[in-house]
Amino acid sequence: MQFATTTSPHVHLGNSVGRVMRRVVYALLPGLLALVWIFGPGVLVQAAIAVSTALAAEALMLTLRGKPLGRFLGDCSALVTALLLAIALPPLAPWWITVLGTGFAIIIAKHLYGGLGYNPFNPAMIGYVVLLTSFPREMSSWAAPLTLHGSTPDLATTLALVFGERSAETLDAVTSATVLDLLRTQIGLGHSVTEVRSSPVFGLLGARGWEWVNLAFLAGGLWMCRQRTAAWQIPAGMLGALAVISTLFWLVDAARFAPPWFHLFSGAAIFGAFFIATDPVSASTTPRGRLIYGAGIGVLTWVIRSVGGFPDGVAFAVLLMNIAAPTIDQYTRPRVFGARA
Amino acid sequence: MSVLNTITRLWRFHGGLHVPEHKAESNSAAIEALPLPAQLVLPLQQHIGAAARACVRVGERVHKGDALARADGYISAALHAPTSGTVVAIEPRPVAHPSGIPVLSVVLESDGRDEWGPNSLPTPIEDYLRLDPAYLRERVREAGIVGLGGAAFPTAVKLNAEGAIRVLVLNAAECEPYITCDDRLMRERAHAVIGGLLLMRRALGVKDCIIGIEDNKPEAAAALQAALEQFADDAEDVLLQQIPTLYPSGSEQQLIRVLTGVEIGRSRRPVDSGILCQNVATAAAVHDAVTEGRPLISRVVTVTGSGISTPRNLEVLIGTPLSALIEYCGGYTPRAARLIIGGPMMGLALPGDDLPITKGMNCVLVAGADDVSAPEESMPCIRCGECMNACPANLLPQQMYWHARAREFDKAQQVNLFDCIECGCCAAVCPSHLPLVQYYRFAKTEIWAAEREKKKAEQARARHEFHLYRLEREEAEKAARLQAKKSAAQQRGHEAETPAADPKQAAIAAALARAQAKKAAAKAEATAGESSNELSPEQLEKLAAARARAEAKRLAATQTAGEAANDATAALSPEQLEKLAAARARAEAKKAASAPAQANADAAPALSPEQLEKLAAARARAEAKKAASAPAQANADAAPALSPEQLEKLAAARARAEAKKAASAPAQANADAAPALTPEQLEKLAAARARAEAKKAASAPAQANADAAPALSPEQIEKLTAARVRTEAKKAAQEALAAATAAVAALDADAQEEAPTASPAAEATPAPLTEEQLARLAAARARAEAKKAAQSGKPASSDQEQ
């Protein structure tokens, strides 16, 4: 009898890229539901647009690059990119924004760099930043949270806003500025943090409504770390550094700088820490390196939020640290077994 | 205090995996003896080290337990007839090895009687725990026992680490999935296992033993505990330690880490940390060899997997074909998809079952298609780091992969490729299904191959260059002879007319001298380069001596040329003079380099006293020539007329030269090992001693060497080295003297001949020479000392060598 001679190991524990990516999707579900509950079905509409665009773009690029479609579409990596971008976009953003951002993310930020595993930057964040810098007006009008208006736009309104004509009146009725936006403009006008925080858009911890979304993302993220789908060092480093630096400055001047819990529970801090920064391809890979990488994102996020030109800084912070990841890896190699310390 | 008392907890190693164990398939099947097969194939190489040498002839009848092959070398193992029968062939046969290269094997046809010979079985020993350790080791060696855990390293060699070991670890982990042979052995023959452990402990002179067993084998652990109690006081200081089941805790490095906290990396062997690791089956084999006189002729093999009808644990004679095991276990099931020797993590997949069982095989795994991973299309690496989390060596497998894939082998080595133990954890967890271990093996073999290629290329290059040098040199020598004749003839013709010879002629002569010096040096180099690759040390040393002689001759030749030039010196331009001086300096430097080789030649153990004497004489002649020529040479340099300032400078230079000479003397004294003297005393002493030694040194060391040649003790070597250093120092002193004389002569010459042109070379000449000599002295001493250190270090370290 003749047998196949493959090399050891002969067993595999069954992990796959698809499984890793699907776990990320599962971990996103609580946050996604919270977003729907607080902001209406907009995010689902955006997700649908993004996912279809991403799969189409992925299929196109795979065909052009002569890669097997089934195997690579089945890895769900495009799905994850699309969902992450859809969550980051304003729920009522016009459809072409989403299509443009997703297409850019998949075609340019991912495949032109070599496809899965080769992209130096987080594709979703590249797409987001391209949109943010190109269309700041569309990108800054967020749907108002449920708790502010007492209701969220229904599906028909959402679809009309996303796909149809966008009049200023209808838009104003359902959107509001984000807290980070408000905070930076008001402080720019000379108001103190305490004054600004008395605005109704602020909640107990961060922005009204966002607190729940962030808690849901936190739950999903913790589960993902527990599953070892995401490296715990990155969110720990990022949130830890963000907390430390914001506490320091808040203690120094509470009138000018927002308190740490505000930073942690506003904007994309938690979502970014668990879902964006942990993208393995573009992040640091060594244990110590991941802590440093996360901490770098945390510090940069605070710096951009507090003194930079954009309301939130997670996307930029992640991209900046993507650049540093190979260098961090180089200098944080773990001690090899048996080597002297 | 016993080391065991300090073990208060278990340690962790990084990574590791919980792989589905699959032990239940076979761990309830008691060990059965496989029926005697008709034919046995016994490869001479089934262990680490040199292949055994067959000591039977084709057609010879052997009894069970008779030696078929003897250990050939220190790291090797004997081979015995597993049953009685006739040797029908000694020929290359395929074995279970990834290379697939057939190995010379003894083919034994069984006569079915399975009888022990009258001489094949040493007398059983009852009270075996009181045996002499040396006798124990001898008996283990004769029994051909190798590590039965899989590595098959000769056990006797490991047991020779007597005195260096503090803790003996018995590896009962059996961490690979499916394998249960050690488990069954411990359950059924716990007494033999513990007995073997105690024997090895005695052979090593160790007190403390730790048995490490994974906690998925409670029955085996209980059996061992019971056996330990049976041995009572004899088994004191043996600690039975259950460890968590985690692959690869049965790997030697990881097991030692778990039990003792000590990390043994690639650069250190366990022995260097005072820890020795032996497998349980090896222990039982040692027990059998000592108490029954039974050589290693069989072992327990697990036959398991969903591809086999009835998984079993079998006592199998070494050399039994795999097919006999398969047949006894009911044959293959329809699911059988892969035949693996060893476990699923590190085992070797075989194409078929027509291969013999060897000493290192612990398991025959016939895996079903769904038990093993299909060779799946892999995805790109997503840098998730799962491999890093799983790596028990704490490596960065994905970085090793990237570099191996890009064929950047130097970078792969930088990320510690060679620390990889190929346990397979990384590949087993890789979400992209990358064949990581295969990449590492590829990179390792590429690096090894590149190193071999490099060596070969260097040899070829050296040979080629030497060839070119020789052709060039022969032509140049011819031309030089011609020129020397011509210029001499011309010289005679011009003598009466004018002292200033044709400047062109002089320039040519000088150029020739330089060319010759270069070629001679190159030749010496090439000779060394070529010979060092293929020659034995003795030959090398002879060569070095020959080279030294050639150098001396060459120097004389240069001298002749130089003299020719000297006759024409009046007309030499300062630049030419400078060049000449430089050429000479280079030649001197070369000579200095060859000098130690000459010194080493003294110590050559293979030289006869007569040869040594001849050598010494040759050296003396060479030096005499050199000394004779030096002043003349210096004259040549200094010949062109000097300005008063230059004269002053020269005087200063001479003063420096003398100071240098004086300075070199204490160095010589140091070589004689007089550490407590003041510099003044040293100087005086050195002067006196230098004179005395100049006489005796040339012959004495050679004589001493010749006498001491066969077996030098460290003290003798030290003395010898001292003598050599003295010789060196003396030579240097002579040279210094010669140079100083040269400087004086030069000055005299200058004083007589006043000339208008300045020559920077003249000033440079004396000082650099002496300095060079000083440097040479220092270098010679350093080399001699290094040599001494190496020699005295060697005997000590070779004791530790396994």
Side-chain angles (χ1 to χ4, degrees):
Chain A
M1 196 163 166
Q2 200 65 22
F3 296 98
T5 52
T6 51
T7 58
S8 68
H10 305 282
V11 288
H12 193 277
L13 299 192
N15 202 4
S16 71
V17 177
R19 192 158 104 173
V20 171
M21 296 296 173
R22 280 191 292 276
R23 281 205 181 142
V24 178
V25 175
Y26 303 150
L28 279 171
L29 290 179
L32 210 57
L33 290 177
L35 277 173
V36 173
W37 175 47
I38 305 283
F39 296 101
V43 65
L44 292 184
V45 175
Q46 299 297 350
I49 300 172
V51 168
S52 358
T53 311
L55 291 181
E58 179 95 347
L60 172 74
M61 292 311 288
L62 287 173
T63 314
L64 287 178
R65 295 177 59 217
K67 300 273 175 187
L69 272 188
R71 188 143 57 88
F72 279 89
L73 277 181
D75 69 21
C76 296
S77 59
L79 178 70
V80 169
T81 303
L83 281 180
L84 293 178
L85 185 57
I87 288 169
L89 293 176
L92 300 175
W95 62 273
W96 52 267
I97 285 270
T98 316
V99 170
L100 204 70
T102 316
F104 196 92
I106 297 292
I107 293 171
I108 296 184
K110 184 178 177 186
H111 280 286
L112 291 193
Y113 279 101
L116 179 70
Y118 291 88
N119 47 293
F121 298 105
N122 187 316
M125 285 304 99
I126 290 278
Y128 179 80
V129 162
V130 163
L131 294 176
L132 187 65
T133 47
S134 311
F135 312 100
R137 199 167 60 86
E138 282 81 357
M139 289 294 287
S140 58
S141 55
W142 263 86
L146 164 81
T147 40
L148 204 62
H149 282 214
S151 70
T152 54
D154 58 16
L155 188 61
T157 323
T158 308
L159 288 174
L161 280 168
V162 171
F163 289 102
E165 280 297 305
R166 297 163 65 90
S167 66
E169 303 86 67
T170 45
L171 212 56
D172 280 349
V174 290
T175 61
S176 68
T178 65
V179 276
L180 286 168
D181 233 347
L182 192 69
L183 189 69
R184 69 172 298 102
T185 21
Q186 294 299 306
I187 287 177
L189 294 173
H191 298 283
S192 80
V193 170
T194 340
E195 278 169 10
V196 184
R197 290 201 66 206
S198 61
S199 153
V201 296
F202 283 91
L204 192 63
L205 295 170
R208 188 173 290 243
W210 274 107
E211 299 146 330
W212 300 108
V213 174
N214 278 328
L215 281 174
F217 278 129
L218 179 65
L222 287 176
W223 174 80
M224 205 163 59
C225 287
R226 209 184 139 68
Q227 293 289 312
R228 299 222 299 194
T229 301
W232 65 267
Q233 293 99 333
I234 295 176
M238 172 173 168
L239 297 178
L242 184 59
V244 167
I245 191 168
S246 55
T247 306
L248 280 180
F249 280 85
W250 177 63
L251 288 177
V252 169
D253 187 352
R256 277 195 58 216
F257 298 104
W261 55 86
F262 173 82
H263 272 289
L264 290 177
F265 284 91
S266 303
I270 288 182
F271 172 66
F274 285 97
F275 293 94
I276 302 293
T278 54
D279 165 39
V281 176
S282 53
S284 179
T285 57
T286 63
R288 267 190 308 147
R290 284 167 169 171
L291 270 178
I292 295 169
Y293 171 82
I297 295 175
V299 170
L300 283 174
T301 299
W302 183 88
V303 169
I304 296 169
R305 278 180 178 182
S306 305
V307 296
F310 287 91
D312 201 353
V314 174
F316 292 104
V318 167
L319 292 179
L320 285 172
M321 290 310 288
N322 284 166
I323 300 174
T327 314
I328 296 174
D329 282 352
Q330 171 85 25
Y331 292 104
T332 54
R333 282 181 194 154
R335 186 187 67 91
V336 173
F337 183 88
R340 294 194 176 85
Chain B
M1 192 183 80
S2 167
V3 179
L4 300 183
N5 296 337
T6 65
I7 295 171
T8 51
R9 64 160 179 135
L10 293 175
W11 302 73
R12 260 198 61 83
F13 58 88
H14 180 267
L17 285 184
H18 291 288
V19 191
E21 293 173 22
H22 289 285
K23 302 277 195 186
E25 280 94 321
S26 57
N27 68 3
S28 52
I31 300 172
E32 297 168 59
L34 187 76
L36 198 61
Q39 199 182 63
L40 299 168
V41 178
L42 296 124
L44 295 177
Q45 172 94 69
Q46 38 183 299
H47 50 261
I48 289 178
R53 201 177 45 224
C55 58
V56 288
R57 281 186 312 275
V58 176
E60 196 171 323
R61 238 197 75 78
V62 291
H63 286 106
K64 183 173 188 166
D66 283 353
L68 294 179
R70 305 210 179 277
D72 192 14
Y74 182 56
I75 300 181
S76 185
L79 196 59
H80 300 82
T83 185
S84 57
T86 314
V87 176
V88 292
I90 300 175
E91 61 189 19
R93 288 290 185 103
V95 293
H97 188 269
S99 72
I101 296 170
V103 167
L104 196 64
S105 309
V106 176
V107 183
L108 181 66
E109 198 135 295
S110 160
D111 60 9
R113 280 180 287 188
D114 203 28
E115 8 170 63
W116 289 92
N119 305 321
S120 52
L121 209 62
T123 0
I125 300 167
E126 286 288 318
D127 190 17
Y128 56 86
L129 291 178
R130 311 280 177 270
L131 282 177
D132 174 40
Y135 177 70
L136 272 177
R137 288 194 292 269
E138 189 49 37
R139 203 139 170 177
V140 168
R141 185 169 171 77
E142 278 173 359
I145 297 174
V146 301
L148 297 180
F153 188 85
T155 303
V157 177
K158 272 169 103 172
L159 292 183
N160 267 354
E162 190 185 5
I165 304 299
R166 290 179 293 117
V167 183
L168 173 60
V169 169
L170 190 66
N171 188 347
E174 200 165 54
C175 65
E176 273 252 21
Y178 288 99
I179 308 178
T180 56
C181 57
D182 286 355
D183 185 3
R184 287 311 309 186
L185 189 77
M186 287 186 278
R187 291 195 211 184
E188 298 176 31
R189 302 196 58 214
H191 192 84
V193 171
I194 300 295
L197 173 69
L198 298 180
L199 282 170
M200 289 193 284
R201 174 167 86 163
R202 185 159 177 82
L204 287 163
V206 195
K207 196 155 73 84
D208 300 317
C209 299
I210 313 174
I211 306 172
I213 181 167
E214 279 193 343
D215 56 12
N216 60 355
K217 292 180 270 293
E219 299 89 348
L224 290 181
Q225 190 59 53
L228 282 174
E229 279 155 22
Q230 270 183 29
F231 276 95
D233 284 351
D234 285 331
E236 220 184 0
D237 295 316
V238 178
L239 180 68
L240 179 66
Q241 188 77 273
Q242 297 215 29
I243 61 172
T245 301
L246 180 70
Y247 180 83
S249 60
S251 152
E252 185 175 73
Q253 293 179 353
Q254 276 64 32
L255 182 66
I256 289 173
R257 165 72 187 166
V258 170
L259 293 175
T260 68
V262 174
E263 281 189 14
I264 290 148
R266 167 168 56 102
S267 51
R268 281 195 305 173
R269 294 168 306 162
V271 176
D272 301 332
S273 305
I275 300 170
L276 192 85
C277 201
Q278 296 279 11
N279 174 270
V280 282
T282 315
V286 167
H287 172 269
D288 294 350
V290 174
T291 62
E292 299 171 17
R294 180 190 167 90
L296 182 64
I297 52 171
S298 70
R299 66 157 300 143
V300 183
V301 179
T302 301
V303 185
T304 184
S306 61
I308 197 87
S309 296
T310 328
R312 290 178 202 271
N313 296 293
L314 301 174
E315 173 96 32
V316 183
L317 296 181
I318 307 297
T320 308
L322 286 180
S323 51
L325 281 72
I326 303 288
E327 199 184 316
Y328 185 76
C329 294
Y332 299 112
T333 65
R335 299 178 62 192
R338 211 171 295 176
L339 178 64
I340 298 165
I341 287 295
M345 294 299 285
M346 295 185 76
L348 173 69
L350 299 178
D353 56 16
D354 48 353
L355 301 169
I357 289 283
T358 54
K359 292 176 180 176
M361 290 184 183
N362 49 8
C363 180
V364 178
L365 169 61
V366 189
D370 39 356
D371 300 335
V372 289
S373 55
E376 199 172 319
E377 290 274 5
S378 56
M379 298 283 287
C381 170
I382 56 167
R383 298 168 28 103
C384 65
E386 278 298 302
C387 47
M388 176 187 72
N389 293 333
C391 180
N394 210 10
L395 295 165
L396 294 173
Q398 87 272 29
Q399 294 204 8
M400 280 157 48
Y401 156 74
W402 284 112
H403 293 314
R405 192 169 177 275
R407 304 180 67 91
E408 297 166 338
F409 300 126
D410 50 336
K411 286 187 187 158
Q413 276 177 283
Q414 275 170 24
V415 288
N416 304 301
L417 173 69
F418 283 99
D419 280 289
C420 172
I421 57 172
E422 301 181 15
C423 65
C425 288
C426 51
V429 296
C430 179
S432 297
H433 289 259
L434 292 163
L436 294 169
V437 180
Q438 208 175 332
Y439 274 104
Y440 308 148
R441 289 199 193 107
F442 159 72
K444 286 178 184 174
T445 45
E446 285 289 305
I447 290 167
W448 288 326
E451 275 167 9
R452 276 195 301 275
E453 281 300 307
K454 203 174 143 199
K455 244 184 219 163
K456 261 198 215 162
E458 266 167 18
Q459 283 176 3
R461 188 180 50 78
R463 267 198 296 275
H464 176 67
E465 279 177 3
F466 173 64
H467 178 68
L468 292 184
Y469 280 134
R470 201 188 56 203
L471 291 183
E472 243 179 275
R473 186 199 63 213
E474 279 167 4
E475 238 163 75
E477 275 172 358
K478 223 188 258 172
R481 276 198 299 277
L482 206 70
Q483 278 299 333
K485 264 187 201 165
K486 256 193 199 167
S487 65
Q490 251 172 0
Q491 193 58 39
R492 278 194 296 278
H494 284 293
E495 235 163 26
E497 296 165 27
T498 164
D502 182 7
K504 267 186 198 166
Q505 283 288 334
I508 290 167
L512 276 175
R514 280 200 302 279
Q516 228 172 358
K518 259 191 202 163
K519 296 227 169 88
K523 176 207 157 196
E525 226 171 34
T527 317
E530 189 208 34
S531 55
S532 58
N533 291 317
E534 290 137 341
L535 298 179
S536 70
E538 294 89 79
Q539 285 172 315
L540 269 177
E541 270 166 26
K542 277 187 200 166
L543 247 173
R547 195 182 349 146
R549 281 197 301 277
E551 284 284 346
K553 269 191 200 155
R554 194 252 321 143
L555 206 74
T558 319
Q559 194 44 47
T560 326
E563 267 163 357
N566 187 20
D567 297 336
T569 35
L572 282 181
S573 75
E575 295 87 67
Q576 286 170 323
L577 276 171
E578 219 179 321
K579 279 184 194 165
L580 197 70
R584 198 165 355 117
R586 280 198 300 275
E588 288 272 30
K590 280 274 145 76
K591 196 181 60 188
S594 72
Q598 195 178 347
N600 289 342
D602 291 349
L607 291 180
S608 71
E610 296 90 280
Q611 283 173 315
L612 278 171
E613 255 170 51
K614 274 185 199 165
L615 249 172
R619 206 185 329 144
R621 276 199 304 279
E623 267 170 64
K625 267 189 200 164
K626 198 172 59 190
S629 64
Q633 219 170 342
N635 271 335
D637 287 343
L642 297 178
S643 71
E645 292 92 335
Q646 284 168 329
L647 274 174
E648 244 177 62
K649 278 185 193 168
L650 251 177
R654 183 163 39 140
R656 276 203 302 280
E658 257 158 353
K660 283 270 157 70
K661 194 178 65 183
S664 75
Q668 189 183 352
N670 279 340
D672 290 342
L677 298 176
T678 66
E680 292 89 336
Q681 285 173 316
L682 276 173
E683 256 174 60
K684 279 182 200 166
L685 248 176
R689 209 177 313 148
R691 277 193 301 277
E693 269 170 1
K695 283 177 197 162
K696 71 167 189 220
S699 56
Q703 212 59 48
N705 282 334
D707 295 341
L712 295 178
S713 73
E715 298 90 84
Q716 284 173 317
I717 289 168
E718 243 171 71
K719 276 186 202 162
L720 266 175
T721 319
R724 210 177 317 138
V725 170
R726 279 198 301 276
T727 325
E728 285 282 335
K730 176 197 59 107
K731 203 171 66 193
Q734 279 179 347
E735 278 162 3
L737 194 73
T741 322
V744 178
L747 271 181
D748 292 345
D750 295 339
Q752 284 164 11
E753 213 177 282
E754 279 195 0
T757 43
S759 163
E763 187 210 339
T765 306
L769 267 180
T770 41
E771 235 168 294
E772 210 175 86
Q773 283 163 333
L774 258 184
R776 206 186 308 164
L777 184 70
R781 187 151 20 103
R783 278 192 302 271
E785 257 157 279
K787 187 108 194 172
K788 189 177 68 182
Q791 279 176 340
S792 59
K794 239 181 229 159
S797 63
S798 67
D799 292 343
Q800 313 255 323
E801 216 90 50
Q802 286 200 355

